[in-house]
Amino acid sequence: MNKNSQGAIGVFDSGFGGIDILRDIVQELPKHNFIYLGDTARAPYGTRTQQTIYHFTEQGVKFLLEQGCPLVVLACNTASSQALPLFESRGSLMGIIKPTVKAALYSKPERVGIIATEATVRSNTFLKEIKKLSNKTEVFQNPAPLLVPIVEEGEESSKIAELAVEEYLAPLLKKNIDVLILGCTHFGVLEPKIREQVGKDVKIVREGPVMGNALKHLLETNPKLEKNIKKKGKLRFYTTDLTDKFIRLGARFLGKKITAEKIEL
Ligand code: DGL
């Protein structure tokens, strides 16, 4: 076990997007130590099969647990939707889907729309979790795979982004949704473009703030877990492929410079 990292909250994502979620988490919990792992060598996960996503996620989680993380947050929707049900017995994991669904249902919507990766939509995890809490709510999903590379190329304010967002939202807007879940780590930065398309009456659920609140609440209500987490405000980044892009996008998503270490899973 790496003694330096012991006691940090682990945050796992397929690649860069989870850093956008981490930024909001750190805003809520600025003193807690975090270790982020992005499996950039094998991202995106969203186009892969459940078997592969589970295998990759299990390796990522194992790495973070070996670093002594008392809690691992799966900040990736694809990993949470495809792999988390298989980890259910392990108490030290927190996924991104359930907190997002809880936040989406807060205003008691009648029709919820979701955009996410192909794998997340195929798993129907959002749909199932919504139905568990609110059987009458109608759910409409649309995979939006092109939005991931658009964000990774820094094109979130471009005409391309506008066209892609319009295309992906059109079938959901036709259903008169009252809440839209941005069910992918990358989509939070597209919120301004998405807002332009959906108008002011649709509530947009962005996952970063949701996870910040959910994690804070989890720690407040679990003093034993909270006690095991070091509070020196340290952030460490690991990646399976240390590219310039990881450092560049990481800094953009986090809002400050990052350094990272390459590891093998
Ligand atoms: N992190 C993934 C998610 O939230 C998006 C990128 C990928 O497909 O790996 O679903």
Side-chain angles (χ1 to χ4, degrees):
M1 191 192 292
N2 182 335
K3 287 222 170 70
N4 293 329
S5 319
Q6 210 177 348
I9 298 171
V11 177
F12 176 72
D13 181 44
S14 56
F16 316 96
I19 302 178
D20 191 54
I21 308 290
L22 179 66
R23 192 203 46 230
D24 286 308
I25 292 179
V26 170
Q27 238 169 48
E28 284 296 333
L29 300 165
K31 295 204 174 109
H32 292 64
N33 289 6
F34 290 93
I35 302 178
Y36 182 90
L37 170 61
D39 189 10
T40 40
R42 304 186 292 193
Y45 283 11
T47 49
R48 298 187 185 276
T49 60
Q50 179 179 21
Q51 237 182 354
T52 303
I53 296 165
Y54 175 67
H55 175 60
F56 290 171
T57 305
E58 192 181 32
Q59 289 179 324
V61 168
K62 186 167 169 269
F63 172 82
L64 288 169
L65 292 176
E66 280 169 4
Q67 304 308 301
C69 295
L71 171 72
V72 174
V73 177
L74 291 186
C76 177
N77 290 267
T78 304
S80 292
S81 69
Q82 297 272 351
L84 193 60
L86 304 170
F87 289 128
E88 209 72 89
S89 55
R90 302 188 205 175
S92 48
L93 281 188
M94 177 187 187
I96 197 167
I97 307 270
K98 281 186 184 176
T100 302
V101 163
K102 223 172 140 193
L105 293 180
Y106 186 73
S107 56
K108 301 198 176 5
E110 289 177 8
R111 285 171 299 277
V112 174
I114 301 153
I115 46 171
T117 65
E118 280 164 348
T120 301
V121 169
R122 195 177 58 229
S123 75
N124 277 327
T125 308
F126 271 111
L127 173 81
K128 287 179 205 155
E129 292 298 331
I130 291 173
K131 292 289 177 189
K132 270 189 211 166
L133 298 180
S134 172
N135 196 25
K136 285 201 183 115
T137 305
E138 287 189 84
V139 181
F140 307 97
Q141 314 184 71
N142 202 18
L146 282 180
L147 299 185
V148 172
I150 286 174
V151 168
E152 291 197 357
E153 292 309 318
E155 295 287 338
E156 67 268 16
S157 309
S158 69
K159 188 80 193 160
I160 303 174
E162 196 175 308
L163 290 174
V165 164
E166 192 182 346
E167 189 72 17
Y168 289 133
L169 291 182
L172 301 177
L173 293 177
K174 265 196 204 139
K175 301 288 182 191
N176 252 331
I177 53 168
D178 28 40
V179 166
L180 175 69
I181 294 178
L182 309 186
C184 174
T185 47
H186 288 57
F187 298 173
V189 298
L190 286 163
E191 192 180 352
K193 276 272 172 267
I194 291 171
R195 173 59 71 202
E196 280 172 22
Q197 304 272 343
V198 301
K200 61 175 177 19
D201 293 335
V202 174
K203 183 184 148 199
I204 295 174
V205 180
R206 183 174 177 159
E207 293 182 312
V210 168
M211 289 305 280
N213 284 326
L215 188 53
K216 197 173 170 195
H217 178 73
L218 178 82
L219 296 176
E220 277 168 4
T221 48
N222 284 277
K224 262 193 193 159
L225 177 63
E226 165 73 358
K227 210 175 67 187
N228 287 333
I229 294 159
K230 279 195 185 157
K231 293 157 197 84
K232 294 219 156 96
K234 278 195 185 157
L235 301 180
R236 286 174 85 103
F237 290 87
Y238 292 99
T239 172
T240 49
D241 191 17
L242 186 49
T243 55
D244 291 346
K245 196 172 167 183
F246 186 84
I247 301 296
R248 206 175 55 242
L249 271 183
R252 198 153 59 84
F253 284 169
L254 192 70
K256 62 179 183 198
K257 267 192 171 182
I258 67 165
T259 53
E261 202 176 305
K262 183 181 178 307
I263 55 133
E264 304 241 334
L265 288 178

